Amino acid sequence: MKARILGMVTSGMLLATAAPAHAERDTAQFTSLTVFGDSLVDAGNIFAATGGAIPSAADGYFNGRFTNGYDYTDLLSIELFGAPTVASLQGGTNFAFGGARASNTNDIVPDLGEQLGLYTGFLAAGNEVDSNGLYILNFGGNDIFNAPADPAAADMFIRQAAQDYAAGVQFLNDLGVRNVLLTGFPVAGPLGFGAEAYLTQELAALNLATDTSFFRYSYFDFFDQVLTDPDSLGLPAQRLDITCQAAGPEAIANGCDGIFSFDGIHFSAPIHEALYRDINSQFNLTAAVPEPETWAMMIFGFFMTGSAIRRRKKVRVQFG
């Protein structure tokens, strides 16, 4: 399938058109959104590559996503620009493919390195790096799922995944990207915790530009909050003993509310919504930047306030 997917890209199915910022949100702090990742953020690349067979709408999946609604990157894009992300095979800048790994070890779909290669092809087609855009990397789950059974080999495997993951950040930085959001490994357990430790080491060794904003998000912290304090995330107590698909059509019709997993691997739509809210709360990604006129008014206001204070200091108060 990997050869077929790459062939689809080179044959012109990847439209080299940058997604414009929404005209009504020209004061947003980011002017575009580009996504690299796996099935948690795939906006339809696998769907397009399989002719709509995977993930199937008949199984409750939504618009080519591996869940029953928009994922957290879609929700962020909707808030920033008024529309969800669009898969790269459908002309957009979401290069995520279900099944992708941080390490370049998947022979079926494009992993992180190959997705970055697709992005450089996108640039070669006449597009430019948006230094004011936000770039999201969401990998790691498939690396953990596919680690060798032998403990020593598994340790080497996840170490390589962490190295490749961090190298992707450096690659984007060197291209001129200046806003990067990276999510940690989303699978708990010894391998997941080990991979996170390796990732921390690798990220600390990066040589990023002084004006690069790097946001690192922890899935483990999010999971802990979902389990111990779901109300803080706007969630009810979550059922972990059943998937939304297994709960049946009624649960799907109700939006999978109160059920953590849609299919046993992927988050349900309400979890993605909570994920979006938590990420946005931590990093304030959708905050608007004041327009130049607003800045001028603020500066003038500060000047007038300062002048008034200085004048008041000159007033002498006499007591009869």
Side-chain angles (χ1 to χ4, degrees):
M1 182 185 287
K2 179 177 284 190
R4 178 187 174 191
I5 292 170
L6 296 176
M8 291 169 66
V9 173
T10 56
S11 65
M13 292 193 70
L14 175 61
L15 304 180
T17 55
H22 196 269
E24 296 179 1
R25 293 301 302 272
D26 58 357
T27 57
Q29 61 177 307
F30 303 113
T31 49
S32 65
L33 181 62
T34 304
V35 180
F36 306 95
D38 51 28
S39 56
L40 291 180
V41 293
D42 183 346
N45 278 322
I46 290 295
F47 186 79
T50 60
I54 302 173
S56 172
D59 295 324
Y61 293 103
F62 173 78
N63 281 12
R65 275 76 176 169
F66 285 83
T67 184
N68 60 306
Y70 287 126
D71 66 53
Y72 76 88
T73 64
D74 289 317
L75 298 172
L76 178 59
S77 180
I78 290 169
E79 179 63 25
L80 287 171
F81 311 119
T85 68
V86 177
S88 56
L89 290 181
Q90 298 170 333
T93 54
N94 185 325
F95 296 88
F97 284 80
R101 306 174 190 174
S103 58
N104 294 315
T105 55
N106 192 332
D107 294 329
I108 300 176
V109 299
D111 292 320
L112 169 57
E114 288 155 329
Q115 290 180 29
L116 293 174
L118 296 179
Y119 178 64
T120 57
F122 170 82
L123 297 178
N127 298 284
E128 297 182 354
V129 173
D130 184 3
S131 60
N132 199 47
L134 177 63
Y135 292 71
I136 296 179
L137 291 86
N138 189 117
F139 291 91
N142 293 306
D143 297 275
I144 302 299
F145 292 146
N146 291 278
D150 177 72
D155 184 73
M156 292 180 60
F157 190 84
I158 62 170
R159 181 189 289 265
Q160 185 63 56
Q163 291 174 350
D164 291 342
Y165 206 178
V169 176
Q170 187 68 60
F171 179 85
L172 289 172
N173 174 87
D174 294 345
L175 281 180
V177 169
R178 289 297 176 263
N179 303 289
V180 178
L181 168 65
L182 176 143
T183 61
F185 287 78
V187 181
L191 278 182
F193 292 124
E196 278 289 276
Y198 287 137
L199 182 59
T200 297
Q201 295 175 7
E202 296 298 330
L203 292 174
L206 296 182
N207 183 27
L208 302 182
T210 56
D211 58 341
T212 294
S213 297
F214 178 68
F215 311 101
R216 182 180 178 183
Y217 183 76
S218 170
Y219 270 121
F220 294 163
D221 289 346
F222 175 72
F223 296 155
D224 181 67
Q225 198 170 353
V226 169
L227 292 175
T228 61
D229 191 13
D231 185 63
S232 66
L233 295 169
L235 293 170
Q238 295 295 298
R239 291 193 63 180
L240 306 178
D241 61 327
I242 193 170
T243 68
C244 191
Q245 284 183 336
E250 183 177 351
I252 295 177
N254 290 332
C256 304
D257 191 40
I259 301 178
F260 181 82
S261 175
F262 180 71
D263 55 10
I265 298 176
H266 305 100
F267 309 142
S268 65
I271 296 299
H272 271 289
E273 293 169 8
L275 188 58
Y276 156 69
R277 291 193 296 269
D278 192 48
I279 290 174
N280 194 33
S281 174
Q282 287 192 34
F283 305 122
N284 204 23
L285 301 177
T286 61
V289 176
E291 296 181 8
E293 295 83 354
T294 306
W295 279 116
M297 291 179 64
M298 290 173 61
I299 293 171
F300 181 73
F302 292 146
F303 170 77
M304 294 301 293
T305 301
S307 298
I309 292 173
R310 287 194 296 272
R311 286 196 299 269
R312 283 199 297 267
K313 287 182 178 179
K314 297 179 180 179
V315 176
R316 294 182 179 180
V317 179
Q318 297 181 352
F319 296 93

